[in-house]
Amino acid sequence: MFTGTKIFKNCYYILPDSWNELKSEMAAVQESKKRSRKQYSNHAAKKQRGGGARELEVGMQGILITCNMNQRKCTAEAYSLLNEYADKLYGPEKFTEEEEEEERNSDEEEKEEDDDDAEAALKKEVKQIRSSTAKKQRRFLAMESGANNVVFVRTLNIDPNKLVHHILQDLHTTKKKKSRVILRMLPVSGTCKAFIEEMEKYLGPFLESWFKAPNQGTFQIVFKARNSSHAKRDEVIKVLAGLVGNMNPKNKVDLTNPEYTIIVEIIKNVCCVSVVRDYVLFRKFNLQEVVKNDREPEDLPSRVENCEEGKEESAKETESKSPCSEECSAGTPKQESTPTDDPIKLE
């Protein structure tokens, strides 16, 4: 509240010092309103673009993509790579004129956010929400997975298993590296709640296409849980073993080169599952490893011979300290499993 000299009733003469104080207060109020409008507009734009509003949910299909710390760049690479190969398999994606115009004007609207008041920002958000329905129908849409260094890309009218296999097949053949931060790309053919009863109910019909008689094949199971304690590893494996075995007794486990790999990824309360081929050939669906040259077979005998010599010299020492005893007993070099892979051998 400013002070001044009273001249008439309800009329004041403002002193110079008081006037400067009043101007400072008014400027502070205007700056505060401007920050509030900017924060509101940024929040609305971020919510519309999916910053935290879109999350992995039950019933979705898509692709889980792991990366190393840089999720933003991983998402950009994923869009580029997926669209490149989707155009080859399904043709270019078609947009309506409204979607194209909205895409062109989105950047201009964001630049004008600072000049809009709260009412204009609200109207803009309503307009964006109304027009977002068509945008959400696009074939690829990045979402929050619920885990660090993991991006989920929802697919629409596209078989994620077929698309990912096509990408890895091309990378394995050409040995051409097309990503820098993407590590693994795992298709998600189905999702359900990550509770053992729900999983058993869902996975029964889901696995019939591959394992129900007369279909059969060798298989392994890869299990990983992130930010979840709903389903225990042993319980999930027991359920899967029972389901696959009951469908056809000829289904056998093969950890060396299985025909099928059942991938189970649990994130929070969502279970993502898929059945893929060539999991070993494509280096566990790792985009960085699949482009590397295959290991030369000549290396195998030399390593085994060295292990045999070590065993003859000191059997006790190799059993307790040296990892080559395990390699020799198996006749092949030991392959260390990564934290994201857990091949299961069913007894």
Side-chain angles (χ1 to χ4, degrees):
M1 182 69 182
F2 62 89
T3 59
T5 302
K6 187 172 182 180
I7 303 177
F8 301 106
K9 183 178 181 181
N10 298 330
C11 182
Y12 291 83
Y13 171 74
I14 302 175
L15 299 177
D17 293 340
S18 300
W19 175 247
N20 292 333
E21 182 180 350
L22 177 61
K23 288 198 298 183
S24 300
E25 291 180 359
M26 293 177 63
V29 171
Q30 292 296 329
E31 183 67 22
S32 177
K33 290 183 178 180
K34 186 175 181 180
R35 285 198 302 267
S36 299
R37 290 196 300 268
K38 185 175 180 180
Q39 291 174 359
Y40 176 85
S41 301
N42 289 342
H43 173 72
K46 183 178 180 181
K47 182 177 180 181
Q48 175 63 24
R49 290 192 295 267
R54 299 179 302 219
E55 295 182 358
L56 170 62
E57 296 177 354
V58 173
M60 292 182 174
Q61 286 188 331
I63 302 169
L64 278 178
I65 303 173
T66 64
C67 61
N68 188 9
M69 300 303 292
N70 198 336
Q71 290 188 212
R72 186 173 183 179
K73 190 171 183 179
C74 173
T75 303
E77 281 190 359
Y79 274 133
S80 176
L81 192 63
L82 294 174
N83 279 299
E84 175 186 348
Y85 285 92
D87 288 347
K88 297 177 182 178
L89 287 177
Y90 304 98
E93 187 175 13
K94 296 180 181 180
F95 301 97
T96 63
E97 294 182 359
E98 294 180 358
E99 289 176 331
E100 292 179 352
E101 183 178 356
E102 180 183 344
E103 191 72 20
R104 289 193 298 267
N105 295 336
S106 60
D107 294 337
E108 297 179 1
E109 291 178 354
E110 290 182 1
K111 292 179 181 178
E112 298 174 356
E113 284 179 353
D114 292 345
D115 299 331
D116 294 341
D117 56 13
E119 183 178 359
L122 179 60
K123 291 180 180 180
K124 185 186 298 183
E125 183 182 11
V126 172
K127 182 180 178 181
Q128 289 175 341
I129 292 174
R130 289 177 178 176
S131 62
S132 64
T133 303
K135 186 175 181 180
K136 289 181 179 179
Q137 299 304 314
R138 295 183 179 179
R139 60 188 180 187
F140 300 120
L141 186 63
M143 297 186 171
E144 292 289 336
S145 66
N148 292 331
N149 301 325
V150 181
V151 176
F152 178 76
V153 178
R154 187 224 61 194
T155 59
L156 187 65
N157 300 324
I158 284 180
D159 183 358
N161 202 339
K162 179 180 178 181
L163 178 59
V164 172
H165 191 277
H166 180 71
I167 294 174
L168 290 165
Q169 180 68 65
D170 183 67
L171 297 180
H172 180 265
T173 303
T174 61
K175 300 298 181 184
K176 184 178 180 180
K177 187 174 181 179
K178 293 190 176 182
S179 65
R180 301 185 65 181
V181 298
I182 295 177
L183 298 180
R184 303 176 70 215
M185 188 174 282
L186 304 174
V188 177
S189 300
T191 52
C192 64
K193 292 183 179 179
F195 300 97
I196 197 65
E197 299 82 5
E198 298 289 337
M199 293 174 63
E200 185 174 7
K201 182 179 179 181
Y202 177 82
L203 292 174
F206 177 83
L207 296 172
E208 289 181 353
S209 301
W210 295 274
F211 301 107
K212 186 176 182 179
N215 298 325
Q216 67 179 64
T218 59
F219 69 97
Q220 70 172 346
I221 301 170
V222 176
F223 176 87
K224 176 68 179 178
R226 296 180 172 89
N227 301 336
S228 175
S229 59
H230 297 296
K232 302 299 182 181
R233 173 181 175 274
D234 294 340
E235 284 184 301
V236 175
I237 300 308
K238 184 178 180 180
V239 167
L240 284 174
L243 291 173
V244 176
N246 292 335
M247 291 178 187
N248 192 338
K250 295 182 180 180
N251 295 322
K252 302 296 181 181
V253 175
D254 183 357
L255 301 182
T256 304
N257 189 22
E259 186 178 359
Y260 300 110
T261 297
I262 304 174
I263 300 176
V264 179
E265 291 273 342
I266 296 179
I267 302 179
K268 290 187 176 181
N269 64 339
V270 180
C271 173
C272 305
V273 62
S274 60
V275 180
V276 302
R277 292 177 178 267
D278 301 318
Y279 186 76
V280 177
L281 177 65
F282 293 156
R283 306 292 182 87
K284 303 177 182 179
F285 283 31
N286 189 312
L287 271 62
Q288 305 299 323
E289 296 294 329
V290 74
V291 296
K292 296 180 180 179
N293 293 327
D294 297 333
R295 278 181 293 180
E296 298 180 359
E298 301 84 55
D299 295 343
L300 180 58
S302 61
R303 293 186 64 183
V304 175
E305 289 176 3
N306 292 336
C307 290
E308 291 292 348
E309 292 176 359
K311 286 182 66 178
E312 292 177 0
E313 291 179 0
S314 178
K316 294 183 179 180
E317 182 178 356
T318 54
E319 289 176 0
S320 60
K321 297 181 180 180
S322 175
C324 66
S325 61
E326 298 179 6
E327 297 179 8
C328 297
S329 62
T332 56
K334 181 180 177 181
Q335 296 180 352
E336 296 182 357
S337 59
T338 62
T340 56
D341 300 318
D342 193 1
I344 307 303
K345 181 175 182 181
L346 305 179
E347 298 295 341

